[in-house]
């Protein structure tokens, strides 16, 4: 009796151990991709914000002023045209000595923007240095004014420097916290799309499984010729 009781206890311990092991090996919940992707996105965005060097942006403004005999609408049209040539090779060649950067590199660090309602051109320089970003914007603004004013007698419009660029105190690139927040949102979106795509696969698998028994049922039915042969054999007997 004592041996049987010990055997029962040992078997019960084994069963408890197996049940505990099964509990440990339970599959993760179906919504696990959402927090996992969100955490990965947040980590990637934070790392990008920390490792990427900050970038500064400075903007100078140039305004197109018409002569006494020129209509204001003409100045607005020339402002649009000068905004397009602000980053041209000829303008950057004038600006390159003052900016102290090669013209090819200068092209990637400057941009010009115009407004359809105002004859003003915004020239923005970008760099990892705040002072260099301001120098780039001012150099291109001066070069554009110099090259356009040479033809002011023929066009009736001249460009004047409205506001010089000043070295910014804060970078224009997003901080590590903002990058992490963007990565969190992007990761959560990818995880949500993954969850939306998974039920469609399950439905297709269930439909395939439901179709197999029908095929097996039809395959198990005897053919019409075989059924008639069995009837003839039974009649002969």
């Amino acid at each position: 009796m004592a041996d049987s009781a010990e055997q029962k206890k040992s078997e019960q311990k084994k069963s408890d151990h197996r049940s505990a092991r099964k509990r440990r090996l339970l599959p993760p919940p179906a919504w696990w991709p959402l927090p996992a992707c969100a955490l990965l996105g947040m980590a990637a965005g934070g790392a990008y914000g920390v490792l990427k060097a900050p970038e500064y942006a400075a903007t100078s403004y140039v305004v197109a002023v018409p002569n006494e005999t020129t209509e204001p609408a003409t100045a607005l049209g020339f402002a649009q045209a000068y905004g397009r040539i602000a980053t041209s090779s000829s303008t950057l060649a004038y600006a390159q000595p003052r900016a102290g950067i090669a013209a090819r590199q200068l092209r990637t660090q400057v941009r010009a923007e115009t407004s359809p309602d105002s004859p003003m051109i915004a020239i923005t320089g970008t760099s990892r240095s705040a002072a260099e970003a301001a120098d780039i914007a001012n150099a291109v603004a001066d070069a554009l004014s110099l090259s356009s004013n040479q033809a002011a007698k023929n066009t009736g419009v001249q460009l004047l420097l409205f506001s010089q660029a000043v070295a910014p105190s804060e970078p224009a690139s997003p901080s590590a916290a903002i990058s992490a927040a963007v990565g969190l949102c992007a990761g959560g979106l990818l995880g949500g799309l993954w969850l939306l795509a998974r039920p469609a696969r399950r439905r297709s698998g269930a439909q395939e499984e439901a179709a197999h028994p029908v095929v097996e049922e039809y395959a198990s039915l005897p053919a019409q010729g075989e059924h008639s042969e069995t009837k003839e054999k039974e009649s002969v007997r």
Side-chain angles (χ1 to χ4, degrees), residues 60-151:
S60 62
Y61 296 93
V62 179
V63 62
V65 180
N67 293 338
E68 296 178 356
T69 59
T70 306
E71 296 181 357
T74 305
L76 182 61
F78 273 101
Q80 302 291 328
Y82 287 136
R84 294 187 182 92
I85 66 172
T87 56
S88 63
S89 300
S90 59
T91 305
L92 296 180
Y94 278 113
Q96 188 269 332
R98 180 179 175 182
I101 302 174
R104 183 178 298 178
Q105 183 180 356
L106 185 61
R107 187 186 300 274
T108 61
Q109 295 181 231
V110 66
R111 65 178 183 270
E113 298 175 354
T114 58
S115 173
D117 302 325
S118 175
M120 188 173 292
I121 306 170
I123 300 172
T124 303
T126 58
S127 176
R128 294 182 179 178
S129 172
E132 187 178 27
D135 291 339
I136 290 173
N138 292 327
V140 176
D142 291 342
L144 182 63
S145 300
L146 179 62
S147 61
S148 62
N149 290 338
Q150 291 177 354

Side-chain angles (χ1 to χ4, degrees), residues 3-197:
D3 295 338
S4 62
E6 290 179 357
Q7 288 180 358
K8 288 181 180 180
K9 288 181 180 180
S10 62
E11 290 177 357
Q12 187 175 1
K13 288 181 180 179
K14 289 181 181 179
S15 62
D16 294 340
H17 181 69
R18 289 175 183 173
S19 61
R21 190 176 179 182
K22 288 181 180 179
R23 289 174 185 174
R24 293 176 185 174
L25 297 177
L26 286 176
W31 46 266
W32 71 266
L34 183 61
C37 293
L39 290 176
L40 287 176
M42 183 177 65
Y48 175 79
V50 171
L51 297 177
K52 189 180 185 303
E55 189 176 60
Y56 295 88
T59 304
S60 62
Y61 296 93
V62 179
V63 62
V65 180
N67 293 338
E68 296 178 356
T69 59
T70 306
E71 296 181 357
T74 305
L76 182 61
F78 273 101
Q80 302 291 328
Y82 287 136
R84 294 187 182 92
I85 66 172
T87 56
S88 63
S89 300
S90 59
T91 305
L92 296 180
Y94 278 113
Q96 188 269 332
R98 180 179 175 182
I101 302 174
R104 183 178 298 178
Q105 183 180 356
L106 185 61
R107 187 186 300 274
T108 61
Q109 295 181 231
V110 66
R111 65 178 183 270
E113 298 175 354
T114 58
S115 173
D117 302 325
S118 175
M120 188 173 292
I121 306 170
I123 300 172
T124 303
T126 58
S127 176
R128 294 182 179 178
S129 172
E132 187 178 27
D135 291 339
I136 290 173
N138 292 327
V140 176
D142 291 342
L144 182 63
S145 300
L146 179 62
S147 61
S148 62
N149 290 338
Q150 291 177 354
K153 294 182 179 179
N154 298 326
T155 60
V157 176
Q158 60 178 351
L159 291 182
L160 299 178
L161 184 62
F162 185 79
S163 176
Q164 284 189 344
V166 180
S169 58
E170 295 181 357
S173 56
S175 61
I178 296 176
S179 300
V182 173
L184 177 66
C185 296
L189 178 61
L190 291 177
L193 292 176
W194 190 356
L195 290 177
L196 290 176

